[in-house]
Amino acid sequence: SVELSIVVPCFREGLGLDRALKKIADTSRASVSSMEIVAVDDGSNDDTWEIITKCRVDNVHVRGVRLSRNFGKEAAIVAGLTAAQGRAVIVMDADLEHPPELIPRMIAAWKAGALIVNGCKITPQPTSRFRSIATRAFYAVFKMSAGMDLRRDSDFKLLDRSVVAALGRFPERVRFFRGLSRSLGFEQVDLDYSPASGTRSASGFSTFGLLRYAVRAVVAFTSRPLRWLGVVGIMGFALALVLGGHTLYMKITGRAAEGFSTVILLLLAT
Ligand code: UDP
Ligand code: MG
């Protein structure tokens, strides 16, 4: 059996993908007895799939998984985890933003008994001003609603086979991989890394794409925002009852101006 699988979600990575996969293989090879790379083409419309199928690396089996359309990074990760056969599975980006140099240390931590190794960034990713404000807002909301501080967490992780198997039992819950490992339990180790800058001109996600992603991430973990909305709804209803009662009282006691009670009651009812 294979000792290590490296799952790499790829969306329009054409340029540079071949070099990245080779670099990943070269930095990991010495740490394990055998390894494979599972490159998942997330419905790219460039030559990503071509490059994956043609990629040859010494002693490393590069296996391609091709999704029928662009399902998004989370789905690509799930597909990769399902296909991976290693006793340890590493998930990392295709653009070398996650430095392969961390891989030998992740494997060492795994061999020392860790079942999950989290790659934690020590410096924030280089993004636009708007993105960085939006990102901070997202993590604040996530912390408030789901009670987890994920500011330094990333999708760069190593999972033991037993953890992959646990995830396989509820794949529909894997909507926000970054936060999932923290909520799972298991013996975990955090390793710091500084994200390589200038690996890519821009994030592959659009602003609206990120917004949708953020909402899904929170909803995947907690129903607390839903309950907050429920409380707001009940308070609004209670207020309407009080005001309605007051309006009726004024009408009955003849202190209301002609026609006003009808308008107020209709407004409160809607
Ligand atoms: N990715 C994917 N599907 C998508 C968007 C991105 O599989 O719809 C992959 C992409 O190829 C890369 C990783 O997810 O390997 C991170 O994407 P990117 O670097 O664009 O985003 P970042 O998180 O760096 O902003
Ligand atoms: Mg990136």
Side-chain angles (χ1 to χ4, degrees):
S1 74
V2 191
E3 186 167 25
L4 173 69
S5 301
I6 300 189
V7 169
V8 187
C10 311
F11 179 58
R12 286 197 233 144
E13 296 285 354
L15 226 65
L17 181 59
D18 191 66
R19 192 179 67 95
L21 295 181
K22 288 192 164 110
K23 173 105 191 279
I24 289 169
D26 286 342
T27 29
S28 333
R29 193 182 281 119
S31 309
V32 288
S33 58
S34 58
M35 66 173 282
E36 63 171 4
I37 290 179
V38 180
V40 183
D41 176 9
D42 184 16
S44 308
N45 48 10
D46 64 355
D47 52 354
T48 295
W49 181 246
E50 294 271 324
I51 291 167
I52 292 173
T53 49
K54 285 195 184 123
C55 184
R56 296 281 175 275
V57 193
D58 289 343
N59 294 322
V60 176
H61 185 197
V62 178
R63 210 135 56 79
V65 172
R66 192 180 198 182
L67 304 188
S68 56
R69 63 167 170 87
N70 181 238
F71 281 92
K73 186 180 181 182
E74 299 292 327
I77 290 175
V78 174
L81 289 176
T82 310
Q85 292 172 347
R87 271 172 276 142
V89 181
I90 288 178
V91 176
M92 68 192 292
D93 283 2
D95 57 2
L96 293 180
E97 192 175 300
H98 299 151
E101 291 76 18
L102 197 71
I103 294 173
R105 290 177 52 211
M106 288 177 135
I107 294 167
W110 170 63
K111 286 183 174 168
L115 296 179
I116 297 177
V117 184
N118 297 298
C120 297
K121 28 185 198 281
I122 50 174
T123 46
Q125 263 152 308
T127 42
S128 72
R129 217 187 147 79
F130 170 74
R131 277 282 164 89
S132 87
I133 293 170
T135 307
R136 249 179 294 157
F138 165 70
Y139 284 125
V141 170
F142 196 89
K143 193 174 170 196
M144 249 196 299
S145 54
M148 277 186 280
D149 187 356
L150 300 179
R151 256 172 308 172
R152 296 178 62 242
D153 279 348
S154 71
D155 291 331
F156 190 14
K157 294 182 190 299
L158 179 149
L159 308 180
D160 181 74
R161 170 54 45 196
S162 56
V163 178
V164 178
L167 288 182
R169 258 170 250 133
F170 46 94
E172 72 284 356
R173 289 286 305 274
V174 188
R175 287 288 171 274
F176 190 50
F177 182 67
R178 197 168 313 166
L180 190 59
S181 68
R182 298 263 176 222
S183 68
L184 273 180
F186 289 107
E187 183 81 12
Q188 311 207 359
V189 167
D190 292 352
L191 291 182
D192 287 344
Y193 75 90
S194 46
S197 57
T199 50
R200 193 182 203 162
S201 52
S203 168
F205 293 100
S206 67
T207 300
F208 270 115
L210 273 183
L211 203 62
R212 244 180 296 141
Y213 188 55
V215 171
R216 238 181 286 154
V218 173
V219 171
F221 271 90
T222 172
S223 56
R224 227 179 276 176
L226 203 62
R227 268 180 277 153
W228 292 340
L229 287 180
V231 169
V232 170
I234 288 170
M235 278 173 8
F237 181 63
L239 192 67
L241 279 185
V242 171
L243 280 177
H246 177 255
T247 308
L248 275 180
Y249 174 76
M250 297 295 268
K251 172 79 181 164
I252 289 162
T253 54
R255 272 182 282 168
E258 194 56 42
F260 265 80
S261 312
T262 321
V263 174
I264 293 173
L265 286 174
L266 280 174
L267 274 176
L268 288 174
T270 48

